[in-house]
């Protein structure tokens, strides 16, 4: 089939580009080599990032047996420059009161968990929160696929240590699990802890990091959930604790 594009201004569009089987296999092989991650019958999903000179994107590849028709690709281009609270206000995506409240929480070294559905802007909001952290503080960023604007923030003078961990859907890899990555970050001393996305059992380690305060610095991350109660259900299930010991208001 042809390549489909979701455009910022023109929404869903179809193109006249129809890649062949050999082209698809070539793309998959190239992405597998660049990422160092497996893509086979045992690991039919590959999540990685594509970094070009003037653009970067998150890439997902789906192969057999999960995709019975062969290979499927999804490229999601990231913004060239990081979002800021000011840009959110300019684009009428939040008001000044919300931005001021978030800035107040970051300045007070509080813990933050941004929840929302797919494509709701969780990662963009988390990236703008990283911009709000003072440059003198080190930020340890843990992601399985690099989506946060780490390189741009480094060019702006931010002190950032990136950690790449194993994807939640990967069965075997030489990469460290996300939960172990979070525990390792706590050994790095006085640092802010930024978690790209909470997908699975790493919520246990994140809860522990939030509980101890990560050396009294900001701990922030994102998680899928349409509302606070959806997040509540997910966190309780991942932590494997009795529901009676938690209230939904504890994580609002």
């Amino acid at each position: 089939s042809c390549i489909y594009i979701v455009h910022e201004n023109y929404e869903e569009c179809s193109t006249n580009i129809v890649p062949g089987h050999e082209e698809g296999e070539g793309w998959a092989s190239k992405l597998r080599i660049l990422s160092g991650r497996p893509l086979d019958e045992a690991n039919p999903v590959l999540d990685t990032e594509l970094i070009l000179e003037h653009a970067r994107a998150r890439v997902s590849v789906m192969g057999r047996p999960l995709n019975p028709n062969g290979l499927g690709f999804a490229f999601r281009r990231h913004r060239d420059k990081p979002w800021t609270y000011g840009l959110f206000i300019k684009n009428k995506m939040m008001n000044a009161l919300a931005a001021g409240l978030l800035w107040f929480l970051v300045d007070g070294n509080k813990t933050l968990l941004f929840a929302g559905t797919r494509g709701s802007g969780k990662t963009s909001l988390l990236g703008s929160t990283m911009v709000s952290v003072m440059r003198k503080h080190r930020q340890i960023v843990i992601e399985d696929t690099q989506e946060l604007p780490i390189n741009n923030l480094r060019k702006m003078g931010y002190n950032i240590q990136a950690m790449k961990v194993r994807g939640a859907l990967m069965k075997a890899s030489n990469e460290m699990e996300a939960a172990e990555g979070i525990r390792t970050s706590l050994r790095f001393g006085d640092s802010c802890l930024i978690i790209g996305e909470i997908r699975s059992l790493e919520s246990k380690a994140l809860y522990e990091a939030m509980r101890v305060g990560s050396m009294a610095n900001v701990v922030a991350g994102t998680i899928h959930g349409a509302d606070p109660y959806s997040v509540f259900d997910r966190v309780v299930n991942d932590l494997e604790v009795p529901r009676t010991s938690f209230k939904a208001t504890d994580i609002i």
Side-chain angles (χ1 to χ4, degrees), residues 75-147:
F75 297 82
R76 184 177 179 182
R77 181 174 176 178
H78 299 304
R79 180 181 169 85
D80 296 330
K81 295 182 180 179
W83 281 96
T84 63
Y85 292 159
L87 283 175
F88 276 119
I89 296 174
K90 182 179 179 181
N91 287 275
K92 299 181 180 180
M93 300 167 69
M94 72 164 59
N95 57 30
L97 178 61
L101 176 60
L102 287 173
W103 206 300
F104 174 77
L105 294 174
V106 172
D107 186 61
N109 295 324
K110 303 302 181 181
T111 59
L112 302 168
L113 190 60
F114 299 113
T117 56
R118 183 177 62 87
S120 60
K122 302 183 299 298
T123 302
S124 298
L125 186 56
L126 180 60
S128 64
T129 299
M130 294 173 62
V131 177
S132 305
V133 176
M134 296 183 67
R135 287 173 171 81
K136 68 178 182 179
H137 296 310
R138 178 173 59 181
Q139 301 183 54
I140 297 181
V141 181
I142 300 176
E143 297 180 281
D144 59 357
T145 302
Q146 293 183 343
E147 295 185 89

Side-chain angles (χ1 to χ4, degrees), residues 63-248:
R64 290 190 175 94
L66 186 59
N67 182 4
N69 297 320
L71 290 168
F73 298 85
F75 297 82
R76 184 177 179 182
R77 181 174 176 178
H78 299 304
R79 180 181 169 85
D80 296 330
K81 295 182 180 179
W83 281 96
T84 63
Y85 292 159
L87 283 175
F88 276 119
I89 296 174
K90 182 179 179 181
N91 287 275
K92 299 181 180 180
M93 300 167 69
M94 72 164 59
N95 57 30
L97 178 61
L101 176 60
L102 287 173
W103 206 300
F104 174 77
L105 294 174
V106 172
D107 186 61
N109 295 324
K110 303 302 181 181
T111 59
L112 302 168
L113 190 60
F114 299 113
T117 56
R118 183 177 62 87
S120 60
K122 302 183 299 298
T123 302
S124 298
L125 186 56
L126 180 60
S128 64
T129 299
M130 294 173 62
V131 177
S132 305
V133 176
M134 296 183 67
R135 287 173 171 81
K136 68 178 182 179
H137 296 310
R138 178 173 59 181
Q139 301 183 54
I140 297 181
V141 181
I142 300 176
E143 297 180 281
D144 59 357
T145 302
Q146 293 183 343
E147 295 185 89
L148 294 168
I150 294 174
N151 293 332
N152 289 337
L153 291 177
R154 282 175 174 167
K155 293 178 182 178
M156 295 167 61
Y158 286 85
N159 181 7
I160 297 180
Q161 172 64 57
M163 296 177 64
K164 187 174 181 179
V165 296
R166 184 190 305 173
L169 297 177
M170 297 178 63
K171 296 182 179 180
S173 172
N174 57 356
E175 297 172 334
M176 183 179 291
E177 292 183 355
E180 288 299 321
I182 295 174
R183 294 188 182 96
T184 301
S185 69
L186 298 178
R187 301 188 182 100
F188 275 65
D190 193 12
S191 303
C192 301
L193 180 59
I194 309 295
I195 314 297
E197 184 173 347
I198 304 303
R199 302 178 188 269
S200 185
L201 298 179
E202 59 266 23
S203 59
K204 293 182 179 180
L206 179 63
Y207 174 74
E208 183 65 19
M210 288 182 168
R211 189 180 66 83
V212 301
S214 186
M215 301 298 291
N217 279 305
V218 173
V219 179
T222 70
I223 188 170
H224 279 282
D227 51 56
Y229 293 96
S230 298
V231 178
F232 166 70
D233 286 337
R234 182 165 186 178
V235 170
V236 168
N237 290 333
D238 287 347
L239 291 176
E240 297 177 353
V241 297
R243 289 177 175 270
T244 54
S245 63
F246 265 97
K247 298 179 181 178

